[in-house]
Amino acid sequence: METPWLDEDELATWVRLIAVVELLPGVLDAQLRRDSGLTHFEYFVLAMLSEAPDRTLRMTALGRRTNATLPRLSHVVRRLEERELVERFPCPEDGRATNARLTTAGWDALAGAAPGHVATVREHVVDALTPAQLDQLRGIAESLLVRLDPDGRLTDLYDPPADRP
Amino acid sequence: METPWLDEDELATWVRLIAVVELLPGVLDAQLRRDSGLTHFEYFVLAMLSEAPDRTLRMTALGRRTNATLPRLSHVVRRLEERELVERFPCPEDGRATNARLTTAGWDALAGAAPGHVATVREHVVDALTPAQLDQLRGIAESLLVRLDPDGRLTDLYDPPADRP
DNA sequence: TCGATTAAGTTGTTCCGTCAAGTGAGTGCC
DNA sequence: GGCACTCACTTGACGGAACAACTTAATCGA
């Protein structure tokens, strides 16, 4: 029942990973907020909508893709709606459900924010690693997600988005 | 001046990394809060103090080790002080500075929280990777920290803690 | 078909982090 | 030695996120 402590190498790796995990969101958020007035999470919400058919998703589906709880998503979408970047309307097929759709202004905001965001990602991550490391990182992240996201909520993003209710 | 977009592999890696970075803090926080009533950041603050000589650090030094802004740290330490897990007292050598010291209760809280926390780290990260991946991850994290933390604030943690004022 | 259960969102409270401003101690310069 | 300037925090206000409670719609069973 006792858990073995981390040895020296494990601890060193862990501490470095923690540092990355703590610092990276701040870097992304700071750049996006400064240049585009968007949170990284808001950016991600807009991006997910932009890739959906008719730029529309049900709140639940959007929550799955963004790994957000429904309350959190509800607040964020309300604020985005106040800024007229998305619009909400009741789902025709299910009276309980709400659809969120990206507006033209929302698409423009996303398009305006994307280049700077991609540049930040390149500068701080992609271009900071060798191609071999980038490949290793993909495998590592996949292994971690098996434990962190056993239901594969976020995994739908890259594999076929089979959204079968 | 134009930034090249991410190609397919880069994007796949990036999306997975984002997922890890979004999910991992939540997992750590949830376990610690549930089992020990501590935030991961609070745990980290206590841990840094526990390793310092006389279990005491100046606020600025503690902020460096935990990657916290001074206002954030000030609030957190105040709350920890109200729970009597740490105590603050003015620094004798510098009238402007404040020292934070881990109390006995704070040490006990840390000792009580550590096993469960380590088990979570093992379950979700260390044991989820092969030894080779763990080694790769260390190198990757080091490369990323060069960009994310150019001043090496957090880097002091693993290399000699030469804390020369 | 009608009552109970589940599902989908919304709303409200509380907590935490960030930003801007303030306080008081040290430092440098004339 | 006094005045400006910097440093090391602290404090207060604001915004976002988690949690719990509520509302309304669909479904399931008898």
Side-chain angles (χ1 to χ4, degrees), chain A residues 27-134:
Chain A
V27 169
L28 300 178
D29 252 38
Q31 182 272 325
L32 278 171
R33 293 194 66 141
R34 175 166 44 81
D35 296 345
S36 309
L38 287 173
T39 302
H40 178 250
F41 181 72
E42 292 172 336
Y43 177 91
F44 210 75
V45 166
L46 298 182
M48 290 306 104
L49 286 176
S50 76
E51 294 175 0
D54 200 29
R55 291 173 188 170
T56 303
L57 281 174
R58 286 177 49 165
M59 293 291 284
T60 301
L62 187 55
R64 279 171 55 91
R65 283 172 174 71
T66 58
N67 185 41
T69 61
L70 231 29
R72 178 184 182 185
L73 189 63
S74 183
H75 282 133
V76 170
V77 170
R78 175 180 49 72
R79 288 192 286 263
L80 289 174
E81 190 176 31
E82 287 165 3
R83 297 164 65 183
E84 301 188 344
L85 301 181
V86 305
E87 52 191 0
R88 278 187 292 188
F89 58 96
C91 176
E93 292 115 10
D94 189 334
R96 300 169 296 181
T98 305
N99 281 335
R101 180 166 48 204
L102 195 64
T103 65
T104 304
W107 205 92
D108 292 345
L110 184 63
H117 178 59
V118 171
T120 304
V121 171
R122 279 212 169 278
E123 178 186 350
H124 288 90
V125 179
V126 176
D127 291 350
L129 300 175
T130 66
Q133 282 181 315
L134 213 52

Side-chain angles (χ1 to χ4, degrees), chain B residues 59-60 70-71 74-75 88 96-98:
Chain B
M59 293 292 282
T60 301
L70 229 29
S74 185
H75 283 136
R88 278 187 293 189
R96 300 169 297 178
T98 304

Side-chain angles (χ1 to χ4, degrees), chain A residues 126-145:
Chain A
V126 176
D127 291 350
L129 300 175
T130 66
Q133 282 181 315
L134 213 52
D135 201 54
Q136 293 167 1
L137 178 55
R138 177 169 173 165
I140 289 168
E142 277 174 358
S143 298
L144 293 180
L145 286 176

